[in-house]
Amino acid sequence: PNLATTFLDLPLNNPLMNASGVWCSVGSQLEALQESEAGAMVTKSCTLQPRDGNPEPRYRVLNGDKPWGSINSMGLPNEGFAYYLRYTERHDYESKPLFISISGLTLDDNLAMIDGLKDAVTPAILEINLSCPNVPGKAQLGYDFDAMDTLLAEVTSGYGQRSLGVKLPPYFDIAHFDEAAAILNRYPTVAFVTCINSIGNALAIDIDSESVIIKPKDGFGGLGGDYVLPTALANVNAFYRRCPEKAIIGCGGVKSGQEAFMHILAGATLVQMGTALYEEGPGIFARVKAELSEIMEKKGYSSLSQFHGKLKTL
Ligand SMILES: O=C(O)c1[nH]c(=O)[nH]c(=O)c1Cl
């Protein structure tokens, strides 16, 4: 079977990539992704200035030996926009496409980063993060539809005719799928939607210590891993159905070829891995590629297009 695909007219060897935030904050990690079997890669969401982020412990896998997922409240630690812009200038675009994720703390910061990017000659693809749940005092843009609309109006005009994408939080209500999609569909240069970011503000408890397990925010943090797969699939399919002109990138609960296959069936063109990558490292891409290929072989599919978005209903 052939795992090759295209995204915004760029060729990819396979549809797998990292989720922003995982294994992509510093040069050594980015180089490891570059060397890995990932079909594409994305940088850690950045702010205009470097940030230390929240106090540790701020990431934990949940339930010890049999982890069902992760909880994190990193707090947007990153090396700052200029660092990632420099990486976009030294990335090997022949080997795989690069996405750059920005998550400005203010509209002005987002516009400043957009301004820095729009003149850049690099073909890095912009993914704007509207869904960081862990910056104390900063509500998620993705849950404030007016603010999201205003940001998209400003950002798309600042970015001109260049295509870009948005990273959305999970939604849990059909009316919210409808409203978010209606906003996105008013911005034709928003060429893709990445669903989902972590399920925000979960709480994990350790009964031995009778305590929370991460330090920031009294233990509240974003949930990833097996726990979020059904919600991730729903968001991928909801936006796939509602935004026929846009590509969907699936993220959430992918740890093997099985979940990658589900995301593609639900409408994802590319598939991101976060928690599973954090735990296994960049070798995961070769493993999941082989597993996806085996599933396709068994089902008689020779290309992704033969089942992409072909989820059946009853
Ligand atoms: O705490 C974080 O850095 C973080 N953590 C997440 O789970 N999603 C995000 O978008 C971000 Cl920005």
Side-chain angles (χ1 to χ4, degrees):
N2 182 359
L3 295 185
T5 187
T6 59
F7 191 82
L8 303 189
D9 301 327
L10 291 171
L12 283 81
N13 165 279
N14 71 76
L16 306 174
M17 62 184 288
N18 65 303
S20 178
V22 183
W23 222 284
C24 59
S25 296
V26 293
S28 58
Q29 294 172 324
L30 293 166
E31 281 146 22
L33 289 182
Q34 169 84 62
E35 298 312 309
S36 79
E37 292 277 301
M41 56 187 273
V42 59
T43 57
K44 165 67 184 173
S45 294
C46 65
T47 44
L48 198 51
Q49 303 306 329
R51 275 174 65 85
D52 291 336
N54 292 338
E56 296 180 334
R58 58 192 188 182
Y59 171 93
R60 277 279 180 277
V61 280
L62 297 178
N63 301 331
D65 58 340
K66 187 78 192 67
W68 282 29
S70 64
I71 189 167
N72 91 83
S73 187
M74 310 303 283
L76 204 41
N78 73 95
E79 303 293 323
F81 173 63
Y83 183 96
Y84 301 103
L85 183 62
R86 267 198 305 281
Y87 179 76
T88 69
E89 291 156 0
R90 66 184 178 89
H91 179 73
D92 171 14
Y93 291 91
E94 289 307 303
S95 86
K96 65 190 75 177
L98 171 72
F99 292 73
I100 179 170
S101 173
I102 68 171
S103 186
L105 296 176
T106 65
L107 176 58
D108 282 350
D109 280 8
N110 274 316
L111 294 176
M113 291 188 277
I114 291 270
D115 205 46
L117 270 176
K118 81 173 190 314
D119 302 330
V121 293
T122 69
I125 302 168
L126 174 60
E127 181 184 87
I128 297 199
N129 185 355
L130 305 182
S131 42
C132 177
N134 301 321
V135 178
K138 297 294 294 176
Q140 291 196 53
L141 268 170
Y143 288 152
D144 178 340
F145 289 132
D146 288 342
M148 183 164 98
D149 197 359
T150 300
L151 176 118
L152 290 175
E154 298 272 353
V155 154
T156 49
S157 70
Y159 210 47
Q161 286 315 307
R162 287 181 72 164
S163 296
L164 71 155
V166 294
K167 174 77 168 283
L168 294 180
Y171 298 102
F172 302 91
D173 188 289
I174 301 299
H176 294 165
F177 291 140
D178 292 341
E179 190 162 358
I183 293 170
L184 295 174
N185 285 333
R186 295 214 321 277
Y187 299 100
T189 57
V190 176
F192 69 94
V193 184
T194 304
C195 300
I196 60 174
N197 208 315
S198 53
I199 294 180
N201 296 298
L203 184 62
I205 292 174
D206 174 79
I207 57 170
D208 299 334
S209 57
E210 301 176 12
S211 166
V212 304
I213 62 174
I214 54 172
K215 187 175 175 76
K217 294 173 55 178
D218 294 331
F220 284 63
L223 207 52
D226 297 358
Y227 292 115
V228 312
L229 178 64
T231 296
L233 293 173
N235 279 260
V236 164
N237 194 240
F239 285 96
Y240 179 70
R241 290 173 182 277
R242 289 169 175 77
C243 304
E245 308 297 315
K246 303 181 192 301
I248 310 298
I249 299 182
C251 185
V254 181
K255 63 180 181 184
S256 79
Q258 308 248 349
E259 300 81 31
F261 187 88
M262 293 177 203
H263 269 272
I264 296 166
L265 207 52
T269 297
L270 304 184
V271 176
Q272 298 182 343
M273 289 188 277
T275 300
L277 168 61
Y278 192 112
E279 295 306 312
E280 186 167 332
I284 193 169
F285 293 109
R287 173 174 70 80
V288 176
K289 249 180 84 175
E291 290 168 349
L292 178 57
S293 183
E294 189 185 343
I295 293 167
M296 289 170 67
E297 177 80 32
K298 284 203 177 97
K299 289 169 168 287
Y301 292 131
S302 56
S303 73
L304 299 176
S305 59
Q306 288 171 320
F307 63 98
H308 172 245
K310 300 263 194 316
L311 176 64
K312 297 172 188 154
T313 54
L314 296 180

